[in-house]
């Protein structure tokens, strides 16, 4: 059984560095994806990821970490704020480097499947990221905060100054829009493109 | 026609935010409502696609963060 985030934070504050290693590895992908979807530049995203975790290190090691909320949503909120600040400061045009062979585009190695299959998969993932980028800003924001940022709909409503029903509505339309765009390109309905999760049950929900 | 409140309930269900009682009720409804079940399956596919496109930072960045943590000493 994996230790909880809360347990890892306690161990880390008590001086056990390996606990932070686990915490970082557990959350870095979600946090990095959150940043990438906002700034759309891999180098900047790598820098902001470091800034995010450095802020977290300072807060935890100086005893200022508030145990009340979830670590996952807290760290993603820091990342989200840093990414938004950076995006506004840079006034970047919406350019996304879609280097489909990049190491960042998935953890599957070439050894696990054929190189062609990996490339096809990565190209499809890159197209999917473009579909996310094409969503209306308000929908994209909620989608990033809920799916990658692990914030609850109520937390999103509070953070964005809207009602929970508005946040839910935006997420609903984000998924509907995404589903429509995916339906227009049958390649996205190839079930083999997506990693298997737990055994199928009548309804399978996202891991919390 | 799927009602709006059901859409919102379904979303909260997909993201594990529904109280246990409402969750059970919704699962029961899904068993008997093929339209809602099909809609739920579509949302699950979109949700799974979102999870699949997660990206990882470089190993160098990960190591930089770990190094910073090992060497950081809080003042005070």
């Amino acid at each position: 059984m994996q230790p909880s985030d809360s347990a890892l934070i306690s161990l880390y504050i008590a001086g056990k560095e390996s606990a932070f290693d686990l915490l970082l590895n557990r959350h870095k992908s979600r946090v990095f994806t959150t940043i990438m979807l906002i700034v759309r530049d891999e180098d900047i995203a790598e820098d902001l990821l470091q800034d995010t975790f450095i802020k977290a290190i300072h807060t935890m090691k100086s005893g200022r970490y508030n145990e009340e909320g979830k670590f996952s949503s807290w760290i993603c909120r820091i990342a989200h704020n840093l990414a938004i600040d950076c995006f506004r400061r840079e006034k970047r045009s919406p350019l996304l480097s879609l280097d489909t062979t990049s190491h960042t585009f998935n953890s599957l190695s070439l050894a696990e499947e054929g190189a062609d299959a990996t490339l096809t998969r990565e190209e499809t993932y890159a197209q999917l990221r473009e579909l996310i980028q094409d969503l209306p800003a308000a929908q994209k924001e909620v989608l990033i905060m809920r799916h990658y940022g692990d914030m609850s709909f109520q937390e999103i409503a509070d953070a964005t100054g809207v009602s929970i029903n508005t946040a839910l509505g935006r997420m609903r339309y984000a998924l509907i829009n995404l589903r429509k765009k995916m339906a227009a390109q049958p390649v996205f309905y190839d079930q083999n493109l997506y990693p298997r999760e737990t055994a199928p049950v009548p309804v399978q929900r996202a891991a919390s | 026609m799927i009602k709006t409140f059901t859409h919102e309930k379904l979303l909260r269900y997909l993201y594990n935010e529904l109280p246990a009682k409402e969750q059970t009720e919704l699962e029961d409804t899904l068993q008997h409502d093929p339209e809602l079940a099909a809609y739920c399956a579509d949302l699950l596919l979109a949700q799974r696609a979102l999870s699949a496109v997660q990206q990882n930072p470089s190993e160098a960045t990960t190591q930089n963060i770990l190094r910073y943590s090992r060497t950081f000493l809080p003042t005070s």
Side-chain angles (χ1 to χ4, degrees):
Chain A
M1 188 173 155
Q2 293 289 317
S4 67
D5 286 349
S6 184
L8 289 174
I9 292 164
S10 297
L11 287 168
Y12 178 56
I13 291 171
K16 199 165 176 61
E17 281 293 325
S18 58
F20 180 71
D21 198 336
L22 283 172
L23 210 51
L24 176 62
N25 278 299
R26 187 177 286 175
H27 295 284
K28 66 181 181 182
S29 174
R30 266 175 192 273
V31 178
F32 187 66
T33 305
T34 297
I35 297 169
M36 270 297 286
L37 285 170
I38 296 168
V39 302
R40 309 180 182 193
D41 182 295
E42 200 170 321
D43 292 334
I44 293 174
E46 300 263 4
D47 286 346
L48 290 176
L49 182 80
Q50 291 191 53
D51 292 346
T52 300
F53 276 96
I54 283 171
K55 268 182 179 256
I57 289 165
H58 281 234
T59 303
M60 289 189 286
K61 282 200 167 178
S62 60
R64 289 180 288 117
Y65 179 70
N66 180 350
E67 291 266 10
E68 283 176 12
K70 281 187 297 181
F71 176 81
S72 55
S73 46
W74 175 67
I75 193 82
C76 278
R77 210 156 38 229
I78 295 173
H80 188 268
N81 290 341
L82 286 175
I84 293 287
D85 286 349
C86 174
F87 184 80
R88 286 177 182 154
R89 201 168 49 241
E90 300 279 326
K91 291 188 168 52
R92 297 183 61 79
S93 57
L95 290 173
L96 175 61
S97 167
L98 290 174
D99 173 5
T100 55
T101 60
S102 167
H103 63 87
T104 63
F105 281 155
N106 197 296
S107 55
L108 288 169
S109 71
L110 292 176
E112 287 177 79
E113 58 181 342
D116 288 347
T118 303
L119 274 177
T120 302
R121 185 188 295 248
E122 298 306 348
E123 282 165 5
T124 306
Y125 288 171
Q127 288 170 16
L128 263 169
R129 289 187 198 101
E130 284 189 283
L131 298 187
I132 297 170
Q133 297 291 3
D134 287 343
L135 290 172
Q139 291 174 24
K140 191 177 117 181
E141 180 180 50
V142 174
L143 184 145
I144 291 172
M145 286 177 157
R146 177 56 271 206
H147 196 86
Y148 302 108
D150 200 26
M151 292 169 71
S152 70
F153 287 112
Q154 186 60 60
E155 286 172 324
I156 294 168
D158 294 342
T160 57
V162 299
S163 69
I164 187 170
N165 283 339
T166 300
L168 279 162
R170 286 175 179 172
M171 185 67 179
R172 176 186 157 206
Y173 283 110
L175 288 181
I176 288 172
N177 280 335
L178 207 56
R179 190 173 58 110
K180 278 184 188 163
K181 289 166 190 274
M182 287 169 68
Q185 299 175 59
V187 64
F188 293 126
Y189 275 80
D190 179 355
Q191 298 274 336
N192 295 321
L193 281 169
Y194 311 117
R196 297 278 170 219
E197 293 174 24
T198 53
V201 287
V203 171
Q204 179 186 354
R205 289 169 295 129
S208 59
Chain B
M1 182 70 182
I2 302 167
K3 293 174 183 171
T4 300
F5 78 87
T6 311
H7 278 292
E8 289 165 356
K9 198 174 269 192
L10 196 54
L11 267 181
R12 292 173 62 212
Y13 175 67
L14 291 175
Y15 281 96
N16 290 318
E17 289 192 21
L18 215 52
K21 185 170 178 287
E22 288 181 56
Q23 184 178 313
T24 307
E25 286 168 2
L26 184 65
E27 282 170 352
D28 190 51
T29 306
L30 284 167
Q31 298 279 0
H32 301 98
D33 185 338
E35 188 189 358
L36 186 65
Y39 179 70
C40 183
D42 266 353
L43 290 184
L44 279 168
L45 190 57
Q47 195 185 40
R48 200 198 289 180
L50 287 175
S51 296
V53 301
Q54 281 198 141
Q55 297 171 260
N56 285 310
S58 69
E59 185 56 26
T61 296
T62 301
Q63 290 306 320
N64 283 345
I65 295 167
L66 292 174
R67 197 176 310 115
Y68 185 90
S69 174
R70 281 194 300 272
T71 55
F72 175 73
L73 291 172
T75 52
S76 82

